Amino acid sequence: MEYAISGKKVSALKTDCLILAVDEKATLLPADLPAGTSSQIRQLIKDRDFSGKKNQTLLVSQPTDLPAKRLLLVGTGDLPLAPGAFIKMLSSAVQALKASGSRNAAWLLNDTLVRDQDVLWQVREGTRAVDEALYRFDQYRSKPATGSPLTNFTFIGEGSKAALQEALRQGQAVAAGVTLCRDLGNQPPNQCYPAYLTEQARTLAKQYPALKVSVISEAQAEKMGMGAFCAVARGSEREGQIIIMEYKGAKGAPVALVGKAVTFDTGGISLKPGAGMDEMKYDMGGGASVFGAVKAVCELSLPIHLVAVVAAAENMPDGRASRPGDIVTSLSGQTVEILNTDAEGRLVLCDALTWVQQKHKPHTVIDIATLTGACVVALGSHAQAVYANDHELAKALLDAGDDSMDRGWPMPLWDDYQEQLDSPFADMANIGGPKAGSITAACFLSRFTKEVKWAHLDIAGTAWISAGKQKGATGRPVPMLTRYLMDLASS
């Protein structure tokens, strides 16, 4: 998809389809819209062919007095729109465009359309919304379904063209990161395994000279003392790998992203129920989001120092797999009693968290993981859980999520919950019982991040959609992470 910015008048714009956001009273119609077109739209409303209700669309062929071949009206409902409603409205417009046969289209910006957001925000987030609405994953179909013919999308508006171009560049970068995250998440587990992710990292490094990649093999991890990581990885014939991507766009201590990438999670000896187990290919969503954020950062050439660590393993129940009751020693020296082998994400993460602190001395560490079903129960699919040992870091992530419509919700990390992890035989257990499962998982990770500013994102509810036509990876929380890193770079 090619995107562009234009300051042309709509009366002179030649395009396959001009898209207009229209409310019930047609108050949003631009002043430079030809009188004949305005009259035509008002007549359509009067005749009740179009109401302007939220997300309603109407395609008008050969609109009056316009050089555009088609006019697509998209209803706004109440004004101004909430940011999330804007994204949904634009997605509805793209669905109508896909059916129209249009090869190129133009969206007319309006500074009063979205509550508390200007046209720069509309361009940035609109670019991502269009890209996400057009996304397809059909590389494994013998005969791929016919996709949308749409290849060009232009934003029409007044203002600083340089500022609009920069907003567009940012939107395209985040969209590219989201697409990579979705592509990795949607890969079947017989194709996407730890070594495959390593190949993807090396491919990124070839595309972006500022990115350097290194790998810790499972054998090396065992020699280094990563007993927790290896306890998960050893049950699979496919070796676990810890993938490190370092982007050095600035000097000084780095910010670190650490992603859980369990490329398939059977639950291990604590085997999961069979129903829906195909979705356990998405258990590498945290690692996929790290890949997406790295790509976006490279596209934007952000002036930051970033170290991204992806802890990749398969959790399989073979004869070498860890058992409930096993005790392992983590890289930090702390011992863990494994009471449930399906609580494996925190095991691969804790050694990766320790390693990145020992090796790179980051000023901030953020880990991302599809960690607990309890998080899905608590927050559903709308918000990822945000835990942090630093108030300002939590606020920065939450603000980034609000701005990018990739929202999070603050969760408690109180010492009161820590005792649920007590073990009679080791320093801690890897589960904290049936209550507050997402919180105790975060408490577990907090024991490996006491000396650094740290946040944990539990994305079990947001990383993928489970059913229906939309089933698949969402690309979250790439927008939140990228917005946070952009804000960090600008500060």
Side-chain angles (χ1 to χ4, degrees):
M1 173 63 72
E2 297 292 328
Y3 294 92
I5 297 292
S6 175
K8 283 186 176 181
K9 301 291 186 181
V10 294
S11 57
L13 185 69
K14 292 183 178 180
T15 180
D16 284 354
C17 190
L18 174 66
I19 312 167
L20 288 181
V22 181
D23 61 299
E24 296 178 27
K25 296 181 180 179
T27 58
L28 285 174
L29 296 183
D32 64 331
L33 196 66
T37 311
S38 297
S39 297
Q40 184 181 20
I41 294 170
R42 290 191 169 92
Q43 190 64 46
L44 288 167
I45 294 174
K46 184 178 179 180
D47 293 342
R48 299 185 179 180
D49 292 315
F50 181 77
S51 68
K53 292 189 182 300
K54 185 181 293 185
N55 300 330
Q56 181 194 18
T57 61
L58 179 67
L59 189 67
V60 180
S61 296
Q62 297 179 332
T64 304
D65 295 344
L66 276 182
K69 293 180 181 178
R70 305 173 183 88
L71 177 64
L72 178 62
L73 307 181
V74 189
T76 65
D78 295 334
L79 290 172
L81 289 171
F86 169 79
I87 300 298
K88 290 180 180 177
M89 182 183 67
L90 194 48
S91 296
S92 297
V94 173
Q95 297 309 318
L97 275 175
K98 287 160 70 174
S100 76
S102 299
R103 294 182 178 276
N104 53 76
W107 173 271
L108 190 63
L109 297 166
N110 188 308
D111 216 0
T112 65
L113 181 61
V114 186
R115 185 175 60 239
D116 300 326
Q117 300 293 356
D118 59 13
V119 293
L120 298 179
W121 182 92
Q122 292 176 41
V123 170
R124 190 180 74 230
E125 299 308 321
T127 301
R128 177 167 63 90
V130 172
D131 224 63
E132 289 183 18
L134 291 171
Y135 175 84
R136 296 179 62 85
F137 185 82
D138 56 8
Q139 68 186 73
Y140 291 97
R141 296 182 185 273
S142 58
K143 295 180 180 179
T146 303
S148 168
L150 190 66
T151 57
N152 297 85
F153 196 94
T154 301
F155 292 94
I156 310 297
E158 299 177 349
S160 167
K161 189 165 185 181
L164 289 166
Q165 289 284 8
E166 177 58 20
L168 180 63
R169 187 178 77 94
Q170 292 174 0
Q172 289 179 285
V174 178
V178 168
T179 295
L180 175 59
C181 179
R182 295 177 81 177
D183 281 349
L184 291 175
N186 287 329
Q187 289 288 337
N190 60 321
Q191 298 293 329
C192 181
Y193 42 88
Y196 174 86
L197 292 179
T198 294
E199 291 173 12
Q200 301 312 300
R202 288 176 173 151
T203 298
L204 276 181
K206 290 177 182 177
Q207 294 173 352
Y208 304 106
L211 191 65
K212 306 299 179 187
V213 171
S214 58
V215 179
I216 299 171
S217 69
E218 186 177 330
Q220 290 171 322
E222 189 166 9
K223 287 181 181 179
M224 293 166 65
M226 295 186 180
F229 173 82
C230 292
V232 178
R234 71 165 59 99
S236 172
E237 291 184 358
R238 300 190 185 277
E239 290 195 356
Q241 303 196 0
I242 295 179
I243 305 157
I244 303 101
M245 295 174 280
E246 184 173 11
Y247 167 86
K248 209 160 188 178
K251 296 180 179 179
V255 58
L257 301 180
V258 179
K260 169 193 172 184
V262 175
T263 55
F264 193 77
D265 180 19
T266 65
I269 299 300
S270 305
L271 193 68
K272 289 180 179 291
M277 197 189 281
D278 65 293
E279 294 185 4
M280 287 302 97
K281 70 177 186 177
Y282 297 119
D283 210 23
M284 43 71 72
S289 73
V290 169
F291 271 92
V294 167
K295 183 172 181 67
V297 165
C298 290
E299 284 285 320
L300 292 168
S301 300
L302 289 185
I304 61 171
H305 184 188
L306 172 68
V307 174
V309 180
V310 176
E314 274 190 328
N315 188 22
M316 301 290 281
D318 83 347
R320 297 178 64 244
S322 58
R323 297 146 295 214
D326 282 0
I327 294 176
V328 297
T329 302
S330 68
L331 181 62
S332 71
Q334 298 176 92
T335 58
V336 181
E337 182 184 15
I338 299 174
L339 296 181
N340 188 325
T341 64
D342 194 25
E344 85 299 332
R346 63 203 73 183
L347 296 177
V348 301
L349 282 174
C350 71
D351 279 344
L353 287 167
T354 299
W355 179 85
V356 78
Q357 291 172 77
Q358 291 179 349
K359 177 69 175 179
H360 289 279
K361 304 294 188 294
H363 61 76
T364 303
V365 177
I366 302 166
D367 76 71
I368 310 99
T370 52
L371 207 61
T372 66
C375 183
V376 185
V377 174
L379 297 177
S381 60
H382 298 292
Q384 45 246 354
V386 178
Y387 297 89
N389 61 10
D390 180 88
H391 174 74
E392 292 302 318
L393 175 57
K395 185 177 185 303
L397 286 166
L398 292 166
D399 287 348
D402 286 342
D403 188 62
S404 61
M405 291 311 301
D406 182 16
R407 292 175 293 182
W409 190 255
M411 298 288 279
L413 198 62
W414 304 332
D415 287 342
D416 309 57
Y417 293 101
Q418 290 283 357
E419 64 184 30
Q420 290 180 230
L421 295 170
D422 287 350
S423 163
F425 306 113
D427 294 334
M428 69 194 85
N430 76 324
I431 57 172
K435 297 180 180 180
S438 179
I439 298 172
T440 54
C443 286
F444 179 94
L445 295 173
S446 74
R447 298 185 179 203
F448 300 86
T449 52
K450 291 180 179 179
E451 306 303 322
V452 69
K453 191 161 63 171
W454 161 79
H456 160 62
L457 305 181
D458 191 336
I459 61 169
T462 60
W464 78 92
I465 297 170
S466 289
K469 293 182 180 179
Q470 300 301 314
K471 180 175 179 176
T474 63
R476 298 179 66 184
V478 172
M480 172 193 272
L481 292 171
T482 308
R483 183 74 247 172
Y484 165 77
L485 294 170
M486 289 167 64
D487 292 343
L488 185 68
S490 65
S491 65

